Amino acid sequence: MGGVEDDEPASKRMKLSSEALIHLSNGSTVKESIVGSSRDLMARPPQSDGGEEVVGSKGVIKKVEFVRIIAKALYSLGYIRSGAHLEEESGIALHSSIINVFIRQVLEGDWDESVATLHNIGLTDEMIIKSASFLILEQKFFEFLDEEKVMDALKTLRTEISPLCINHGRVRELSLSIVSPSHCFTVRSPKQNTSRARSRTKLLEELQKLLPPTVMIPERRLEHLVEQALGLQRDACMFHNSLDEEISLFADHQCARDQIPSYALQILPAHTDEIWFLQFSHNGKYLASSSHDCSAIIWEVYIWHRGTGELIEALPGHSGAVNCVSWNPTNPHMLASASDDRTIRIWGLNNLSAKQKDTHGNGIHYCNGGT
């Protein structure tokens, strides 16, 4: 399902406009051809079991994929020259020459040529080829209608779109667009409701979702991998009790145990019977409680790990069963608990923990506290 290989030097590959490179996902595997001295050969990076060069201590990150994803991120961020320099210096192309041609054809509206190129990319799944062809020809159809070339649009529908024999419901909707021009606006997808250049860029994004990632790298792939890694670190943090914006890329994330609010800052004994419910307000400034004493007052919870159910901390203080716990939505170091002992307790950090902030050790980041 991958694309063809490209062994042309970076300097000879077809150039795309900066606008296209910013918006597009690209790629297919590329063979490197690097000639160097014996010293270069001795310093060659390690290889995976499959013979490909790898980076990282685990030997699982393929160098070609890694460089291509970085280049894609640079282009997506608007660093066009930096992305081009990375391709040239590494000798690793972001995408193959045939993908370059395909992208140019789509952006320039060379519909027949782009469909022909699509068949030469090296895809083995016939349904993917048909679905991608359908999207391209649909764009061709709508642009004919925009130019009031109704007969050309009808010909495209009858001789090119319909013979694909897929998405019959959509074909009927396109037919209605010819019969009733006003229906055209309801039939178009959001990608076709903008200017022609913008619409073609959106078309490429839709095509990217259909084509294998080895052919065109998914949009924002590097960001997705980083967010996934941060999410895994957060979920693996036993005592996680910090805001997401406090998680840094510069060190592994780990919250310290003393950041669990286990010190009773205040006891609220106003209720005269069992307290059944309490909840902080969204702004974190108010706490509401309700009791069997038929009163509600604007003013505890063991702490368990939400994901694993493992006991993290036992908070002594209540003399009856704890019925409800509410964490302050704007202060992760404060919680309130309500008990059958007719009291509410506000829990927070002790003074020692509050003074310890931004402590680091061995590449591990301890949020808002020490180890």
Side-chain angles (χ1 to χ4, degrees), residues 47-54 59 62:
Q47 295 185 334
S48 66
D49 293 337
E52 297 182 71
E53 289 188 5
V54 295
K62 297 180 178 64

Side-chain angles (χ1 to χ4, degrees), residues 34-253:
I34 301 177
V35 179
S37 63
S38 59
R39 181 181 61 182
D40 295 330
L41 294 175
M42 293 176 63
R44 180 174 297 172
Q47 295 185 334
S48 66
D49 293 337
E52 297 182 71
E53 289 188 5
V54 295
V55 296
S57 60
K58 305 295 184 182
V60 297
I61 304 175
K62 297 180 178 64
K63 179 182 177 181
V64 169
E65 295 181 355
F66 190 63
V67 172
R68 288 176 59 205
I69 287 177
I70 294 175
K72 177 66 185 75
L74 290 173
Y75 285 126
S76 297
L77 291 171
Y79 303 133
I80 307 303
R81 288 183 296 178
S82 297
H85 288 161
L86 176 58
E87 288 191 73
E88 183 175 3
E89 185 173 2
S90 66
I92 299 175
L94 178 57
H95 44 71
S96 64
S97 292
I98 193 169
I99 293 297
N100 266 332
V101 171
F102 177 70
I103 292 172
R104 177 183 57 79
Q105 290 169 341
V106 171
L107 290 177
E108 294 179 356
D110 296 332
W111 307 122
D112 296 339
E113 292 83 354
S114 63
V115 171
T117 302
L118 180 65
H119 285 77
N120 295 324
I121 288 178
L123 303 175
T124 58
D125 191 325
E126 188 65 25
M127 183 53 65
I128 290 180
I129 297 176
K130 285 188 174 183
S131 299
S133 299
F134 190 100
L135 289 177
I136 294 172
L137 295 173
E138 183 184 59
Q139 180 73 21
K140 177 182 179 181
F141 171 86
F142 280 121
E143 291 196 11
F144 275 143
L145 289 184
D146 289 341
E147 298 169 359
E148 299 183 353
K149 298 179 179 179
V150 178
M151 295 307 298
D152 289 333
L154 179 60
K155 181 181 178 181
T156 298
L157 181 61
R158 287 180 173 176
T159 65
E160 298 180 271
I161 297 179
S162 294
L164 292 174
C165 297
I166 62 171
N167 209 345
H168 299 293
R170 183 64 174 173
V171 172
R172 286 192 293 271
E173 291 179 347
L174 297 180
S175 300
L176 289 175
S177 299
I178 296 178
V179 177
S180 175
S182 61
H183 185 72
C184 181
F185 294 99
T186 61
V187 170
R188 290 191 175 194
S189 62
K191 69 181 178 63
Q192 295 155 332
N193 288 335
T194 54
S195 66
R196 175 171 297 181
R198 180 67 174 169
S199 181
R200 291 175 180 177
T201 300
K202 288 293 184 181
L203 170 61
L204 275 173
E205 293 178 3
E206 294 297 316
L207 290 170
Q208 172 189 275
K209 296 175 183 178
L210 284 175
L211 300 179
T214 53
V215 175
M216 296 182 75
I217 297 176
E219 189 67 29
R220 303 178 65 85
R221 179 59 180 167
L222 181 59
E223 292 93 325
H224 173 75
L225 291 174
V226 173
E227 289 174 349
Q228 187 179 59
L230 293 178
L232 290 173
Q233 290 187 30
R234 179 189 59 205
D235 294 341
C237 180
M238 175 62 70
F239 306 107
H240 183 69
N241 191 30
S242 60
L243 302 175
D244 284 346
E245 53 263 31
E246 296 177 357
I247 300 177
S248 172
L249 293 176
F250 297 133
D252 293 340
H253 172 75

Side-chain angles (χ1 to χ4, degrees), residues 288-301:
S289 65
S290 61
S291 170
H292 189 250
D293 63 9
C294 300
S295 68
I297 302 177
I298 303 296
W299 313 84
E300 178 151 267
V301 168

Side-chain angles (χ1 to χ4, degrees), residues 264-283:
L265 301 176
Q266 189 175 6
I267 300 177
L268 310 176
H271 285 296
T272 60
D273 209 334
E274 297 174 357
I275 301 169
W276 288 348
F277 183 78
L278 80 165
Q279 180 69 50
F280 273 107
S281 63
H282 292 299
N283 61 12

